[in-house]
């Protein structure tokens, strides 16, 4: 099927490199499925949730709990308002994904159904004038997301580990434009120190767990906000800016 596809023409070398990297990634992460490695075209296919009526409410519930976590942190509200917004914009995705892991929210995707020929004819040009075209998640992007979630589930974190790790993720002093980066860094160090201390009685035999948790949590920051928005929230909020909604939820 792929004899004439883009993968076997000008992008052939890219496709080969992608395949090799994907195989190495899947081999190093036991939870990743090795299926669908035939060519890059398959990975580029757009997908959507198989059961949005189930997954979208579950994701919305996780988002509400994520915002509630931030609301209950006096140290967060003690920051300048500008820093609060910068932290919120930068950290809501990894915090949301950590909540997905904690709440054990799973999901399946399917290939995006193609619109019928009649619908294309009737809506051609009209939809472009009414609203901008929405982006669709690709299979490759969703597989990377599922790999991150699966890897986190293998850690089997306790509630205290989740709480302190969320604090370490939220208080990120490396965000450009912060007015109080030193204070935010001290908050991050405090959260990391508390996480390290709670690991001693819970996992005394696993000396590398602390470093492993921080390393795996860094993968959550590589997931683009557009993927999370398009996959879990776009079916509900349409073209509304998700960050505007989160800010409203935080300060309501």
């Amino acid at each position: 099927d792929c004899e004439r596809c883009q993968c076997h023409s000008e992008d052939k070398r890219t496709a080969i490199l992608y395949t090799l990297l994907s195989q190495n990634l899947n081999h190093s992460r036991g939870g990743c499925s090795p299926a669908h490695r035939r060519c890059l075209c398959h990975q580029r296919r757009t997908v959507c949730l198989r059961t949005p009526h189930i997954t979208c409410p579950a994701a919305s519930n996780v988002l509400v709990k994520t915002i509630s976590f931030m609301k209950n942190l006096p140290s967060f509200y003690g920051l300048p308002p500008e820093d609060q917004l910068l932290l919120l914009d930068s950290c809501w995705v990894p915090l949301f994904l950590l909540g997905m892991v904690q709440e054990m929210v799973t999901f399946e995707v399917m290939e995006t159904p193609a619109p019928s020929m009649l619908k294309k004819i009737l809506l051609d040009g009209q939809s472009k004038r009414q609203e901008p075209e929405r982006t669709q998640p690709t299979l490759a992007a969703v597989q990377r997301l599922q790999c991150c979630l699966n890897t986190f589930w293998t850690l089997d974190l306790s509630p205290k580990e989740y709480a302190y790790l969320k604090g370490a993720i939220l208080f990120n002093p490396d965000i450009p434009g912060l007015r109080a980066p030193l204070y935010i860094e001290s908050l991050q160090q405090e959260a990391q120190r508390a996480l390290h201390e709670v690991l001693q009685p819970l996992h005394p035999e696993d000396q590398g767990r602390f470093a492993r948790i921080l390393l795996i949590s860094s993968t959550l920051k590589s997931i683009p906000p557009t993927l999370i928005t398009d996959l879990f929230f776009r079916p509900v909020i349409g073209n509304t800016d998700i960050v505007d909604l989160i800010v409203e939820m935080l300060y309501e």
Side-chain angles (χ1 to χ4, degrees):
D1 294 339
C2 298
E3 287 294 331
R4 303 173 186 172
C5 74
Q6 192 175 2
C7 301
H8 289 264
S9 54
E10 59 185 14
D11 282 351
K12 184 173 182 180
R13 286 176 296 179
T14 305
I16 294 174
L17 177 61
Y18 182 91
T19 302
L20 292 174
L21 291 175
S22 298
Q23 289 175 346
N24 291 335
L25 177 64
N26 290 333
H27 179 72
S28 62
R29 296 177 179 176
C32 304
S33 171
H36 308 308
R37 295 180 189 160
R38 293 172 300 170
C39 75
L40 191 58
C41 288
H42 184 86
Q43 302 291 322
R44 286 173 174 165
R45 292 178 183 174
T46 60
V47 295
C48 59
L49 292 173
R50 185 177 295 276
T51 56
H53 61 287
I54 296 176
T55 307
C56 289
S60 298
N61 183 56
V62 171
L63 185 61
V64 169
K65 290 185 177 181
T66 300
I67 303 305
S68 178
F69 165 78
M70 300 172 69
K71 281 185 174 183
N72 293 327
L73 288 177
S75 52
F76 177 79
Y77 277 103
L79 295 172
E82 298 88 346
D83 286 4
Q84 294 178 25
L85 294 177
L86 286 173
L87 292 177
L88 177 68
D89 184 57
S90 174
C91 303
W92 79 266
V93 169
L95 288 177
F96 167 78
L97 292 177
L98 198 57
M100 291 269 288
V101 176
Q102 187 174 12
E103 297 294 325
M104 299 293 291
V105 176
T106 60
F107 63 94
E108 295 182 358
V109 295
M110 63 180 184
E111 191 169 350
T112 306
S116 66
M117 185 60 66
L118 177 60
K119 185 176 181 180
K120 284 183 177 180
I121 295 174
L122 293 176
L123 299 181
D124 184 34
Q126 181 179 358
S127 60
K128 294 180 181 179
R129 291 192 299 268
Q130 291 177 346
E131 60 180 26
E133 184 179 356
R134 297 177 184 174
T135 57
Q136 291 287 343
T138 63
L139 178 60
V142 172
Q143 285 179 338
R144 285 194 293 270
L145 169 59
Q146 290 178 325
C147 280
C148 290
L149 298 179
N150 289 338
T151 304
F152 243 107
W153 274 315
T154 63
L155 292 174
D156 192 22
L157 299 180
S158 67
K160 286 187 177 181
E161 288 174 295
Y162 276 115
Y164 294 135
L165 181 57
K166 288 177 182 178
I169 291 176
L170 173 61
F171 297 115
N172 180 9
D174 298 325
I175 299 174
L178 291 173
R179 297 183 59 185
L182 294 180
Y183 177 58
I184 292 173
E185 183 178 14
S186 69
L187 293 175
Q188 184 184 65
Q189 292 175 348
E190 182 180 344
Q192 291 178 346
R193 183 165 51 250
L195 174 62
H196 188 270
E197 291 175 355
V198 81
L199 291 177
Q200 300 299 325
L202 291 177
H203 306 276
E205 74 291 344
D206 191 352
Q207 298 298 318
R209 184 174 176 85
F210 175 72
R212 192 162 62 254
I213 289 175
L214 294 184
L215 178 62
I216 295 177
S217 67
S218 66
T219 64
L220 299 180
K221 301 177 183 179
S222 68
I223 303 299
T226 52
L227 172 63
I228 301 305
T229 304
D230 293 336
L231 188 62
F232 297 113
F233 300 108
R234 195 63 69 200
V236 178
I237 68 174
N239 292 321
T240 304
D241 191 324
I242 184 67
V243 176
D244 289 344
L245 289 179
I246 294 175
V247 172
E248 185 178 342
M249 293 167 60
L250 184 65
Y251 294 113
E252 66 178 2

